[in-house]
Amino acid sequence: EIGNLPSQILDSWVYLDGLDKFCLHTLKIHYYVRYVDDGVALFKTREEAEDCRDRIGEWLKKERGLTLSPKKTVIHPIEEGINFAGSVILPFRKYTRSMSVGRAFEAAYRLHRQAYNIDAFNSVNSYLGLMRHSVSYNIRKKLCEIARLDNIISHDCDYTKIFYLNEVAL
């Protein structure tokens, strides 16, 4: 369960806005992006990356009382891929993380068993929305086929969303 997602996003924007400003204006990181509590920065050298990581860690501890996760804070060549926001991003292509694909299939099977499970329906559509921005046509097709139920649920021709065939009062 994600909890109160709008509250989490608002807290993240307000609470970590100072981090964004620190990274962009003080550290002058040109390639930096953050989504909620997941962030990526690109550097030319390992030394530059290590220095910025240490300075970000110090800023988080001093200004917000937070620490960087040692397991999730990694420095490696971009060719190995960047695990970010449900995807693995490689030069010139992007894939959906295996964990995200697994959860998408769990939701599709749940929807197949309970056609009017609105949480499962919304989850499948959310994962399809994530996957349409990556190399995932065959995965999306299989997800839609699992979720499809004759006369109840169908999908579009590009396998990017599912929908109820008749309006349903949920």
Side-chain angles (χ1 to χ4, degrees), residues 82-94:
I82 298 169
N83 187 348
F84 180 69
S87 298
V88 176
I89 304 163
L90 293 156
F92 309 109
R93 62 199 178 285
K94 181 172 138 182

Side-chain angles (χ1 to χ4, degrees), residues 1 12-13 45 76 79 96 110 114 127-128 138-139 145:
E1 224 28 75
S12 170
W13 282 338
T45 67
H76 57 80
E79 292 81 16
T96 305
R110 202 167 55 248
Q114 300 173 321
Y127 283 114
L128 289 170
N138 290 332
I139 296 169
E145 289 170 352

Side-chain angles (χ1 to χ4, degrees), residues 86-87 95-111 113 120 123-124 127-128 130-131 136 139-140 142-143 146:
S87 298
Y95 298 98
T96 305
R97 267 188 1 205
S98 299
M99 183 187 305
S100 298
V101 171
R103 289 181 179 161
F105 278 103
E106 288 172 12
Y109 284 117
R110 202 167 55 248
L111 182 61
R113 289 190 305 272
S123 287
V124 171
Y127 283 114
L128 289 170
L130 171 71
M131 290 179 195
S136 64
I139 296 169
R140 293 191 328 260
K142 190 168 182 179
L143 269 174
I146 291 167

Side-chain angles (χ1 to χ4, degrees), residues 45-123:
T45 67
R46 175 175 273 286
E47 292 76 25
E48 185 183 359
E50 289 171 349
D51 179 56
C52 284
R53 178 203 53 210
D54 294 344
R55 292 179 66 189
I56 289 168
E58 291 168 9
W59 186 93
L60 284 169
K61 186 170 182 85
K62 179 182 173 195
E63 300 294 328
R64 298 295 186 263
L66 300 172
T67 57
L68 291 172
S69 168
K71 288 183 180 180
K72 296 180 181 179
T73 306
V74 295
I75 297 173
H76 57 80
I78 195 168
E79 292 81 16
E80 292 180 16
I82 298 169
N83 187 348
F84 180 69
S87 298
V88 176
I89 304 163
L90 293 156
F92 309 109
R93 62 199 178 285
K94 181 172 138 182
Y95 298 98
T96 305
R97 267 188 1 205
S98 299
M99 183 187 305
S100 298
V101 171
R103 289 181 179 161
F105 278 103
E106 288 172 12
Y109 284 117
R110 202 167 55 248
L111 182 61
H112 189 80
R113 289 190 305 272
Q114 300 173 321
Y116 298 107
N117 182 330
I118 196 68
D119 290 332
F121 179 85
N122 289 338
S123 287

Side-chain angles (χ1 to χ4, degrees), residues 137 155-161 163:
Y137 179 84
H155 53 77
D156 66 342
C157 60
D158 294 325
Y159 306 104
T160 60
K161 63 184 171 190
F163 53 88

Side-chain angles (χ1 to χ4, degrees), residues 26-43:
T26 304
L27 298 179
K28 302 206 182 303
I29 301 173
H30 295 287
Y31 302 103
Y32 166 83
V33 64
R34 180 180 61 82
Y35 178 73
V36 189
D37 65 345
D38 202 359
V40 173
L42 303 179
F43 301 93

